[in-house]
Amino acid sequence: MPAKILDGTKIAIEIRSEVAAEVKTMTAAGVRPGLAVVLVGHNPASEVYVRGKVKASNEVGLYSEQHTPPETATTAELLALVEDLNRRDEIDGILVQLPLPAQVDSKKILMAVDPAKDVDGFHPVNVGFLSTQRPGLVPCTPAGVIEILKRYQIPIGGQEAIIVGRSDIVGKPVAMLLLNANATVTVCHSKTRDLPEVCRRADLLIAAIGRAGMITSDFVKPGATVIDVGMNKVTDPAVFQRLFGGRLYQNAKREEAFRAKGSTLVGDVHPEVAEVAGALTPVPGGVGPLTIAMLMYNTVKAAKMRRGQRAVASDQRPVGTVAGRE
Ligand code: NDP
């Protein structure tokens, strides 16, 4: 039986509507959560991401503002901007879109963001909070992975979870969240021996590698839940053929779009895995949509944590199901 497809778009819509309701209540109580996005220069991919974030902010009713220093901005100028945003009470979340231009000391800028406003959850203070199970801001994509599992009622506690990828942005925080939720966690990387064999132990297999279709069916235990975090742009027709050319995985719609556009977005998991896994997130439409939804969620959470009783006076409920867990 083919894997159940875990619909990230549907869950992202649910979370965004929960956040919108919360923003409405908070705004009525006089505390409208605010997000500031800093976009330096004109990186086209960053411009697309930032547009998506600003649009989502408007849709859920957040106050949002965009700062667009020029490509030539210095570390000192960006530090001054971040410090100003840190000081302003109406700004609850600060998001500095990466990558920053080469002349800027990115680490210095990210370290300067007030941890209480660090809605990306990358500041070492928030990393420490996560690893010691204290309330804090959790990175958006990893938090989205957990939301998919929870909202589809896929058990985590006691399950064997294998994560392929150990980045600070995805692999490590996903591992920490799963460990905090009582999974037995193994983190794999490029030096892991016998990777397919290790992965076949997984009840929950999380792929965060950045290699199109690397996880084939021989990595997957029958019935396992497979979460595909990978987002890879494929332009090579031979790679497209390897992924979608097989008799079972032909995808006429995707092929047509690939021909017209010259590229397609694929995950780290080969489409053939759908024949083995019990449940699987698609790409696109799986983990991707959750990232922005969780950014909206984090901004509201940051407002509640920092502005305390002013934010929750009229409503003591946690946002969605996530806050109740953290
Ligand atoms: P990184 O490049 O930072 O990390 C990749 C990880 O994969 C590394 O730990 C690396 O190991 C490991 N790896 C690479 N090749 C292999 C291999 N052959 N065997 C085993 N492990 C391997 O990537 P990110 O974590 O930033 O992103 C991972 C993927 O997730 C990308 O496709 C990215 O686009 C996507 N992504 C998606 C998001 C979303 O919103 N859906 C958000 C963020 C990322 P080592 O450490 O040994 O080098």
Side-chain angles (χ1 to χ4, degrees):
M1 201 172 66
K4 174 176 183 165
I5 298 300
L6 306 175
D7 185 346
T9 306
K10 188 185 99 192
I11 291 180
I13 290 169
E14 269 172 35
I15 293 172
R16 281 160 71 150
S17 81
E18 289 162 13
V19 169
E22 204 72 17
V23 170
K24 200 171 166 194
T25 309
M26 290 169 74
T27 304
V31 180
R32 185 180 184 196
L35 175 67
V37 181
V38 178
L39 171 64
V40 184
H42 292 288
N43 177 320
S46 296
E47 283 176 343
V48 172
Y49 293 141
V50 165
R51 259 203 305 278
K53 289 167 185 176
V54 170
K55 183 166 171 269
S57 304
N58 293 337
E59 281 168 10
V60 300
L62 295 176
Y63 166 72
S64 79
E65 59 183 40
Q66 210 179 321
H67 296 264
T68 53
E71 188 71 36
T72 52
T74 63
T75 302
E77 284 161 355
L78 294 181
L79 280 177
L81 172 58
V82 167
E83 274 154 22
D84 181 51
L85 296 170
N86 282 344
R87 262 192 305 271
R88 285 174 52 203
D89 191 45
E90 73 277 23
I91 298 298
D92 296 290
I94 302 171
L95 187 140
V96 181
Q97 185 66 43
L98 300 176
L100 293 171
Q103 78 278 7
V104 175
D105 184 342
S106 302
K107 279 199 176 141
K108 214 169 184 177
I109 304 298
L110 294 182
M111 284 289 283
V113 173
D114 180 347
K117 298 188 178 188
D118 166 41
V119 280
D120 259 337
F122 296 157
H123 194 288
V125 165
N126 281 314
V127 176
F129 285 156
L130 177 59
S131 77
T132 53
Q133 291 190 267
R134 291 178 166 85
L137 295 166
V138 175
C140 300
T141 304
V145 169
I146 302 297
E147 279 305 294
I148 293 179
L149 295 173
K150 295 249 166 179
R151 291 186 188 231
Y152 273 101
Q153 295 174 347
I154 292 167
I156 301 177
Q159 301 295 294
E160 188 90 39
I162 312 282
I163 297 121
V164 190
R166 57 172 162 182
S167 72
D168 293 342
I169 296 173
V170 189
K172 281 185 205 161
V174 166
M176 201 50 81
L177 285 165
L178 289 169
L179 183 62
N180 289 350
N182 299 319
T184 302
V185 174
T186 303
V187 183
C188 303
H189 45 78
S190 64
K191 308 291 185 293
T192 299
R193 270 187 287 125
D194 304 324
L195 185 64
E197 196 183 311
V198 176
C199 290
R200 276 198 302 272
R201 293 207 313 256
D203 302 308
L204 303 171
L205 179 61
I206 320 292
I209 312 162
R211 290 182 185 250
M214 193 189 105
I215 301 295
T216 50
S217 50
D218 58 329
F219 287 67
V220 180
K221 177 167 81 176
T225 295
V226 180
I227 305 288
D228 189 356
V229 184
M231 291 210 310
N232 310 290
K233 188 174 170 185
V234 166
T235 52
D236 181 349
V239 176
F240 187 88
Q241 188 64 20
R242 174 172 70 78
L243 295 172
F244 301 105
R247 190 175 51 83
L248 285 171
Y249 320 109
Q250 269 169 1
N251 186 330
K253 242 170 113 182
R254 204 191 272 252
E255 194 161 348
E256 204 177 295
F258 180 68
R259 282 222 188 86
K261 246 179 97 183
S263 69
T264 190
L265 189 70
V266 305
D268 292 338
V269 175
H270 194 291
E272 70 181 19
V273 167
E275 299 299 313
V276 185
L280 174 66
T281 58
V283 176
V287 175
L290 267 297
T291 300
I292 289 189
M294 296 316 291
L295 173 67
M296 303 297 104
Y297 170 80
N298 269 355
T299 305
V300 169
K301 185 179 178 188
K304 286 187 164 184
M305 288 196 310
R306 194 178 58 85
R307 297 204 248 175
Q309 286 310 307
R310 281 182 291 159
V312 292
S314 70
D315 182 357
Q316 297 293 334
R317 284 173 306 145
V319 180
T321 58
V322 198
R325 193 189 68 233
E326 286 165 356

Short mmCIF file of all heavy atoms in Angstrom, two decimals, residues 52-108:
data_model
loop_
_atom_site.label_atom_id
_atom_site.label_comp_id
_atom_site.label_asym_id
_atom_site.label_seq_id
_atom_site.Cartn_x
_atom_site.Cartn_y
_atom_site.Cartn_z
N GLY A 52 7.54 36.40 0.95
CA GLY A 52 6.63 35.39 1.52
C GLY A 52 6.38 35.64 3.00
O GLY A 52 5.26 35.51 3.50
N LYS A 53 7.45 36.01 3.72
CA LYS A 53 7.33 36.22 5.17
C LYS A 53 6.50 37.47 5.47
O LYS A 53 5.67 37.47 6.37
CB LYS A 53 8.74 36.34 5.79
CG LYS A 53 9.46 35.01 5.79
CD LYS A 53 10.95 35.12 6.09
CE LYS A 53 11.60 33.73 5.93
NZ LYS A 53 13.05 33.75 6.09
N VAL A 54 6.72 38.53 4.70
CA VAL A 54 5.98 39.77 4.93
C VAL A 54 4.50 39.56 4.58
O VAL A 54 3.60 39.98 5.32
CB VAL A 54 6.60 40.94 4.12
CG1 VAL A 54 5.71 42.17 4.16
CG2 VAL A 54 8.00 41.26 4.65
N LYS A 55 4.24 38.85 3.48
CA LYS A 55 2.87 38.58 3.06
C LYS A 55 2.14 37.76 4.16
O LYS A 55 1.01 38.09 4.56
CB LYS A 55 2.89 37.80 1.74
CG LYS A 55 1.54 37.51 1.15
CD LYS A 55 1.69 37.05 -0.31
CE LYS A 55 0.37 36.55 -0.86
NZ LYS A 55 0.18 35.12 -0.68
N ALA A 56 2.83 36.73 4.65
CA ALA A 56 2.21 35.89 5.70
C ALA A 56 1.95 36.72 6.95
O ALA A 56 0.89 36.58 7.59
CB ALA A 56 3.12 34.71 6.02
N SER A 57 2.88 37.61 7.29
CA SER A 57 2.70 38.47 8.49
C SER A 57 1.44 39.30 8.33
O SER A 57 0.63 39.41 9.27
CB SER A 57 3.88 39.43 8.67
OG SER A 57 5.07 38.73 8.75
N ASN A 58 1.27 39.88 7.16
CA ASN A 58 0.08 40.72 6.93
C ASN A 58 -1.18 39.87 7.03
O ASN A 58 -2.18 40.29 7.61
CB ASN A 58 0.16 41.39 5.55
CG ASN A 58 1.29 42.40 5.49
OD1 ASN A 58 1.72 42.90 6.52
ND2 ASN A 58 1.79 42.68 4.30
N GLU A 59 -1.12 38.66 6.46
CA GLU A 59 -2.32 37.81 6.46
C GLU A 59 -2.76 37.42 7.88
O GLU A 59 -3.95 37.30 8.14
CB GLU A 59 -2.08 36.56 5.62
CG GLU A 59 -2.22 36.86 4.13
CD GLU A 59 -1.69 35.73 3.23
OE1 GLU A 59 -1.40 34.64 3.77
OE2 GLU A 59 -1.58 35.96 2.03
N VAL A 60 -1.80 37.19 8.77
CA VAL A 60 -2.20 36.80 10.13
C VAL A 60 -2.41 38.02 11.03
O VAL A 60 -2.74 37.87 12.20
CB VAL A 60 -1.22 35.80 10.81
CG1 VAL A 60 -1.11 34.52 10.02
CG2 VAL A 60 0.15 36.41 11.04
N GLY A 61 -2.20 39.21 10.48
CA GLY A 61 -2.50 40.44 11.23
C GLY A 61 -1.37 40.98 12.08
O GLY A 61 -1.58 41.88 12.90
N LEU A 62 -0.16 40.45 11.91
CA LEU A 62 0.98 40.99 12.66
C LEU A 62 1.30 42.39 12.16
O LEU A 62 1.07 42.70 10.98
CB LEU A 62 2.23 40.13 12.43
CG LEU A 62 2.26 38.70 12.93
CD1 LEU A 62 3.57 38.03 12.50
CD2 LEU A 62 2.14 38.66 14.44
N TYR A 63 1.88 43.20 13.04
CA TYR A 63 2.52 44.42 12.55
C TYR A 63 3.85 43.97 11.93
O TYR A 63 4.56 43.16 12.51
CB TYR A 63 2.78 45.40 13.71
CG TYR A 63 3.72 46.49 13.32
CD1 TYR A 63 3.31 47.49 12.45
CD2 TYR A 63 5.05 46.49 13.76
CE1 TYR A 63 4.18 48.47 12.03
CE2 TYR A 63 5.93 47.47 13.35
CZ TYR A 63 5.49 48.46 12.48
OH TYR A 63 6.36 49.42 12.06
N SER A 64 4.17 44.44 10.74
CA SER A 64 5.47 44.04 10.19
C SER A 64 6.13 45.21 9.52
O SER A 64 5.47 46.12 9.01
CB SER A 64 5.33 42.86 9.24
OG SER A 64 4.88 43.29 7.99
N GLU A 65 7.46 45.19 9.56
CA GLU A 65 8.21 46.21 8.82
C GLU A 65 9.44 45.57 8.22
O GLU A 65 9.97 44.57 8.72
CB GLU A 65 8.55 47.40 9.72
CG GLU A 65 9.37 47.07 10.93
CD GLU A 65 9.62 48.29 11.82
OE1 GLU A 65 8.70 49.12 12.00
OE2 GLU A 65 10.75 48.42 12.33
N GLN A 66 9.85 46.15 7.11
CA GLN A 66 10.97 45.60 6.37
C GLN A 66 12.08 46.64 6.33
O GLN A 66 11.81 47.82 6.07
CB GLN A 66 10.50 45.31 4.95
CG GLN A 66 11.20 44.17 4.30
CD GLN A 66 10.66 43.95 2.91
OE1 GLN A 66 9.48 44.05 2.66
NE2 GLN A 66 11.55 43.65 1.97
N HIS A 67 13.31 46.21 6.60
CA HIS A 67 14.46 47.11 6.50
C HIS A 67 15.36 46.60 5.39
O HIS A 67 15.68 45.40 5.39
CB HIS A 67 15.21 47.15 7.83
CG HIS A 67 14.36 47.71 8.94
ND1 HIS A 67 14.41 49.04 9.30
CD2 HIS A 67 13.39 47.15 9.70
CE1 HIS A 67 13.53 49.26 10.26
NE2 HIS A 67 12.89 48.12 10.52
N THR A 68 15.74 47.46 4.48
CA THR A 68 16.51 47.01 3.31
C THR A 68 17.79 47.82 3.13
O THR A 68 17.91 48.62 2.19
CB THR A 68 15.65 47.11 2.03
OG1 THR A 68 15.14 48.46 1.96
CG2 THR A 68 14.50 46.15 2.02
N PRO A 69 18.77 47.61 4.03
CA PRO A 69 20.05 48.31 3.85
C PRO A 69 20.70 47.88 2.53
O PRO A 69 20.42 46.77 2.03
CB PRO A 69 20.89 47.82 5.03
CG PRO A 69 19.95 47.14 5.96
CD PRO A 69 18.78 46.68 5.17
N PRO A 70 21.54 48.76 1.96
CA PRO A 70 22.16 48.43 0.67
C PRO A 70 23.20 47.31 0.79
O PRO A 70 23.69 47.01 1.89
CB PRO A 70 22.84 49.74 0.27
CG PRO A 70 23.07 50.46 1.56
CD PRO A 70 21.96 50.06 2.47
N GLU A 71 23.54 46.72 -0.34
CA GLU A 71 24.55 45.65 -0.46
C GLU A 71 25.88 46.03 0.21
O GLU A 71 26.63 45.18 0.67
CB GLU A 71 24.76 45.39 -1.97
CG GLU A 71 25.61 44.21 -2.36
CD GLU A 71 24.94 42.88 -2.09
OE1 GLU A 71 23.71 42.79 -2.27
OE2 GLU A 71 25.65 41.94 -1.68
N THR A 72 26.14 47.37 0.25
CA THR A 72 27.42 47.87 0.79
C THR A 72 27.38 48.08 2.31
O THR A 72 28.37 48.57 2.87
CB THR A 72 27.76 49.22 0.13
OG1 THR A 72 26.59 50.08 0.29
CG2 THR A 72 28.07 49.09 -1.36
N ALA A 73 26.30 47.70 2.97
CA ALA A 73 26.16 47.95 4.41
C ALA A 73 27.33 47.31 5.18
O ALA A 73 27.80 46.23 4.82
CB ALA A 73 24.84 47.37 4.91
N THR A 74 27.75 47.99 6.23
CA THR A 74 28.87 47.47 7.04
C THR A 74 28.32 46.74 8.27
O THR A 74 27.15 46.89 8.64
CB THR A 74 29.76 48.62 7.54
OG1 THR A 74 28.96 49.46 8.39
CG2 THR A 74 30.31 49.44 6.38
N THR A 75 29.21 45.99 8.92
CA THR A 75 28.83 45.30 10.15
C THR A 75 28.34 46.32 11.19
O THR A 75 27.30 46.11 11.84
CB THR A 75 30.04 44.51 10.72
OG1 THR A 75 30.48 43.60 9.71
CG2 THR A 75 29.69 43.74 11.98
N ALA A 76 29.04 47.43 11.29
CA ALA A 76 28.67 48.45 12.29
C ALA A 76 27.28 49.01 12.01
O ALA A 76 26.47 49.19 12.93
CB ALA A 76 29.71 49.57 12.29
N GLU A 77 26.98 49.26 10.73
CA GLU A 77 25.65 49.81 10.39
C GLU A 77 24.55 48.80 10.73
O GLU A 77 23.50 49.16 11.27
CB GLU A 77 25.59 50.16 8.89
CG GLU A 77 26.34 51.45 8.56
CD GLU A 77 26.68 51.58 7.06
OE1 GLU A 77 26.42 50.62 6.29
OE2 GLU A 77 27.22 52.62 6.69
N LEU A 78 24.81 47.53 10.42
CA LEU A 78 23.78 46.52 10.70
C LEU A 78 23.62 46.30 12.21
O LEU A 78 22.51 46.09 12.70
CB LEU A 78 24.10 45.20 10.00
CG LEU A 78 24.05 45.27 8.46
CD1 LEU A 78 24.37 43.91 7.84
CD2 LEU A 78 22.69 45.75 7.97
N LEU A 79 24.75 46.38 12.92
CA LEU A 79 24.66 46.26 14.39
C LEU A 79 23.79 47.38 14.96
O LEU A 79 22.96 47.13 15.84
CB LEU A 79 26.05 46.33 15.02
CG LEU A 79 26.87 45.03 14.99
CD1 LEU A 79 28.25 45.27 15.59
CD2 LEU A 79 26.15 43.91 15.74
N ALA A 80 23.97 48.58 14.43
CA ALA A 80 23.19 49.73 14.91
C ALA A 80 21.70 49.49 14.63
O ALA A 80 20.84 49.77 15.49
CB ALA A 80 23.67 51.01 14.24
N LEU A 81 21.39 48.95 13.45
CA LEU A 81 19.99 48.66 13.11
C LEU A 81 19.40 47.61 14.07
O LEU A 81 18.30 47.78 14.62
CB LEU A 81 19.91 48.18 11.65
CG LEU A 81 18.56 47.65 11.17
CD1 LEU A 81 17.46 48.70 11.31
CD2 LEU A 81 18.64 47.20 9.70
N VAL A 82 20.15 46.53 14.27
CA VAL A 82 19.67 45.45 15.16
C VAL A 82 19.47 45.99 16.58
O VAL A 82 18.46 45.70 17.24
CB VAL A 82 20.64 44.25 15.14
CG1 VAL A 82 20.34 43.27 16.27
CG2 VAL A 82 20.57 43.53 13.79
N GLU A 83 20.41 46.80 17.02
CA GLU A 83 20.28 47.35 18.39
C GLU A 83 19.05 48.24 18.51
O GLU A 83 18.36 48.22 19.53
CB GLU A 83 21.57 48.09 18.79
CG GLU A 83 22.56 47.09 19.38
CD GLU A 83 24.01 47.51 19.23
OE1 GLU A 83 24.26 48.72 19.06
OE2 GLU A 83 24.88 46.62 19.27
N ASP A 84 18.78 48.99 17.47
CA ASP A 84 17.57 49.84 17.49
C ASP A 84 16.31 48.95 17.57
O ASP A 84 15.40 49.22 18.36
CB ASP A 84 17.55 50.71 16.22
CG ASP A 84 16.34 51.62 16.20
OD1 ASP A 84 16.12 52.31 17.21
OD2 ASP A 84 15.61 51.62 15.18
N LEU A 85 16.29 47.88 16.78
CA LEU A 85 15.13 46.96 16.80
C LEU A 85 15.03 46.26 18.16
O LEU A 85 13.93 46.03 18.67
CB LEU A 85 15.23 45.95 15.66
CG LEU A 85 15.16 46.54 14.24
CD1 LEU A 85 15.51 45.48 13.20
CD2 LEU A 85 13.78 47.13 13.96
N ASN A 86 16.18 45.93 18.74
CA ASN A 86 16.18 45.32 20.08
C ASN A 86 15.49 46.22 21.10
O ASN A 86 14.78 45.76 21.99
CB ASN A 86 17.61 45.08 20.57
CG ASN A 86 18.26 43.84 19.94
OD1 ASN A 86 17.56 42.99 19.37
ND2 ASN A 86 19.57 43.74 20.03
N ARG A 87 15.74 47.55 20.94
CA ARG A 87 15.24 48.52 21.93
C ARG A 87 13.74 48.79 21.79
O ARG A 87 13.08 49.12 22.75
CB ARG A 87 15.98 49.86 21.75
CG ARG A 87 17.14 50.05 22.72
CD ARG A 87 17.63 51.48 22.70
NE ARG A 87 17.99 51.94 21.37
CZ ARG A 87 19.20 51.82 20.83
NH1 ARG A 87 20.18 51.27 21.52
NH2 ARG A 87 19.43 52.24 19.61
N ARG A 88 13.23 48.63 20.55
CA ARG A 88 11.83 49.07 20.33
C ARG A 88 10.82 48.06 20.87
O ARG A 88 10.79 46.89 20.46
CB ARG A 88 11.62 49.30 18.82
CG ARG A 88 12.29 50.60 18.37
CD ARG A 88 12.20 50.77 16.89
NE ARG A 88 10.85 50.62 16.39
CZ ARG A 88 10.55 50.29 15.14
NH1 ARG A 88 11.50 50.09 14.26
NH2 ARG A 88 9.29 50.18 14.78
N ASP A 89 9.95 48.52 21.74
CA ASP A 89 9.02 47.62 22.43
C ASP A 89 8.02 46.97 21.49
O ASP A 89 7.60 45.83 21.70
CB ASP A 89 8.28 48.42 23.52
CG ASP A 89 7.52 47.50 24.45
OD1 ASP A 89 8.09 46.48 24.87
OD2 ASP A 89 6.33 47.77 24.73
N GLU A 90 7.63 47.68 20.42
CA GLU A 90 6.58 47.13 19.54
C GLU A 90 7.12 46.06 18.58
O GLU A 90 6.35 45.43 17.87
CB GLU A 90 5.87 48.26 18.76
CG GLU A 90 6.66 48.91 17.65
CD GLU A 90 7.64 50.01 18.10
OE1 GLU A 90 8.05 50.02 19.28
OE2 GLU A 90 8.00 50.85 17.26
N ILE A 91 8.44 45.89 18.57
CA ILE A 91 9.03 44.83 17.74
C ILE A 91 9.27 43.60 18.62
O ILE A 91 10.07 43.64 19.57
CB ILE A 91 10.37 45.30 17.10
CG1 ILE A 91 10.13 46.51 16.18
CG2 ILE A 91 11.06 44.16 16.34
CD1 ILE A 91 9.20 46.25 14.99
N ASP A 92 8.58 42.50 18.30
CA ASP A 92 8.71 41.26 19.09
C ASP A 92 9.66 40.27 18.44
O ASP A 92 10.27 39.45 19.12
CB ASP A 92 7.34 40.61 19.25
CG ASP A 92 6.41 41.50 20.03
OD1 ASP A 92 6.65 41.67 21.24
OD2 ASP A 92 5.50 42.08 19.43
N GLY A 93 9.74 40.31 17.11
CA GLY A 93 10.59 39.36 16.40
C GLY A 93 11.51 40.09 15.43
O GLY A 93 11.08 41.03 14.76
N ILE A 94 12.78 39.66 15.39
CA ILE A 94 13.73 40.24 14.43
C ILE A 94 14.27 39.09 13.59
O ILE A 94 14.79 38.11 14.12
CB ILE A 94 14.91 40.93 15.15
CG1 ILE A 94 14.39 42.02 16.09
CG2 ILE A 94 15.91 41.49 14.14
CD1 ILE A 94 15.47 42.61 17.00
N LEU A 95 14.11 39.24 12.27
CA LEU A 95 14.60 38.20 11.39
C LEU A 95 15.60 38.81 10.42
O LEU A 95 15.24 39.70 9.66
CB LEU A 95 13.42 37.60 10.63
CG LEU A 95 13.78 36.39 9.80
CD1 LEU A 95 12.68 35.37 9.90
CD2 LEU A 95 14.03 36.76 8.37
N VAL A 96 16.85 38.38 10.52
CA VAL A 96 17.88 38.87 9.60
C VAL A 96 18.03 37.80 8.52
O VAL A 96 18.47 36.68 8.79
CB VAL A 96 19.22 39.10 10.32
CG1 VAL A 96 20.26 39.62 9.34
CG2 VAL A 96 19.04 40.06 11.49
N GLN A 97 17.62 38.14 7.31
CA GLN A 97 17.63 37.15 6.23
C GLN A 97 19.07 36.86 5.81
O GLN A 97 19.84 37.76 5.53
CB GLN A 97 16.82 37.69 5.03
CG GLN A 97 16.66 36.70 3.90
CD GLN A 97 15.82 35.48 4.28
OE1 GLN A 97 14.78 35.60 4.92
NE2 GLN A 97 16.28 34.30 3.89
N LEU A 98 19.40 35.57 5.79
CA LEU A 98 20.74 35.15 5.37
C LEU A 98 20.69 34.71 3.90
O LEU A 98 19.62 34.34 3.43
CB LEU A 98 21.20 33.99 6.25
CG LEU A 98 21.31 34.31 7.75
CD1 LEU A 98 21.68 33.07 8.53
CD2 LEU A 98 22.32 35.43 8.00
N PRO A 99 21.77 34.75 3.15
CA PRO A 99 23.11 35.15 3.58
C PRO A 99 23.27 36.66 3.57
O PRO A 99 22.60 37.36 2.82
CB PRO A 99 23.99 34.51 2.49
CG PRO A 99 23.13 34.48 1.26
CD PRO A 99 21.74 34.29 1.75
N LEU A 100 24.22 37.13 4.42
CA LEU A 100 24.57 38.56 4.42
C LEU A 100 25.76 38.75 3.48
O LEU A 100 26.50 37.79 3.22
CB LEU A 100 24.92 38.99 5.85
CG LEU A 100 23.74 38.98 6.83
CD1 LEU A 100 24.22 39.22 8.26
CD2 LEU A 100 22.70 40.02 6.43
N PRO A 101 25.96 39.97 2.97
CA PRO A 101 27.10 40.19 2.06
C PRO A 101 28.42 39.82 2.74
O PRO A 101 28.53 39.85 3.97
CB PRO A 101 27.03 41.71 1.79
CG PRO A 101 25.65 42.12 2.11
CD PRO A 101 25.15 41.19 3.17
N ALA A 102 29.41 39.49 1.89
CA ALA A 102 30.68 38.95 2.38
C ALA A 102 31.39 39.85 3.38
O ALA A 102 32.05 39.36 4.31
CB ALA A 102 31.60 38.66 1.19
N GLN A 103 31.26 41.19 3.22
CA GLN A 103 32.00 42.10 4.12
C GLN A 103 31.39 42.16 5.52
O GLN A 103 31.99 42.72 6.44
CB GLN A 103 32.07 43.53 3.52
CG GLN A 103 30.80 44.38 3.65
CD GLN A 103 29.75 44.08 2.59
OE1 GLN A 103 29.90 43.15 1.81
NE2 GLN A 103 28.70 44.87 2.54
N VAL A 104 30.21 41.56 5.70
CA VAL A 104 29.53 41.65 7.00
C VAL A 104 29.86 40.41 7.85
O VAL A 104 29.87 39.28 7.34
CB VAL A 104 27.99 41.75 6.80
CG1 VAL A 104 27.27 41.71 8.13
CG2 VAL A 104 27.64 43.01 6.02
N ASP A 105 30.12 40.64 9.12
CA ASP A 105 30.38 39.54 10.06
C ASP A 105 29.02 38.97 10.51
O ASP A 105 28.41 39.45 11.47
CB ASP A 105 31.19 40.09 11.24
CG ASP A 105 31.60 39.00 12.23
OD1 ASP A 105 30.99 37.91 12.20
OD2 ASP A 105 32.52 39.26 13.02
N SER A 106 28.55 37.93 9.79
CA SER A 106 27.19 37.41 10.03
C SER A 106 27.00 36.94 11.46
O SER A 106 25.94 37.17 12.07
CB SER A 106 26.89 36.22 9.10
OG SER A 106 27.03 36.60 7.78
N LYS A 107 28.03 36.26 11.99
CA LYS A 107 27.90 35.72 13.36
C LYS A 107 27.67 36.84 14.36
O LYS A 107 26.84 36.73 15.26
CB LYS A 107 29.15 34.92 13.74
CG LYS A 107 29.12 33.54 13.16
CD LYS A 107 30.07 32.62 13.87
CE LYS A 107 29.91 31.22 13.29
NZ LYS A 107 31.18 30.52 13.14
N LYS A 108 28.42 37.93 14.17
CA LYS A 108 28.30 39.09 15.08
C LYS A 108 26.88 39.65 15.03
O LYS A 108 26.31 40.00 16.07
CB LYS A 108 29.31 40.16 14.65
CG LYS A 108 29.89 40.93 15.78
CD LYS A 108 31.06 41.76 15.28
CE LYS A 108 31.72 42.49 16.43
NZ LYS A 108 32.88 43.24 16.01
#
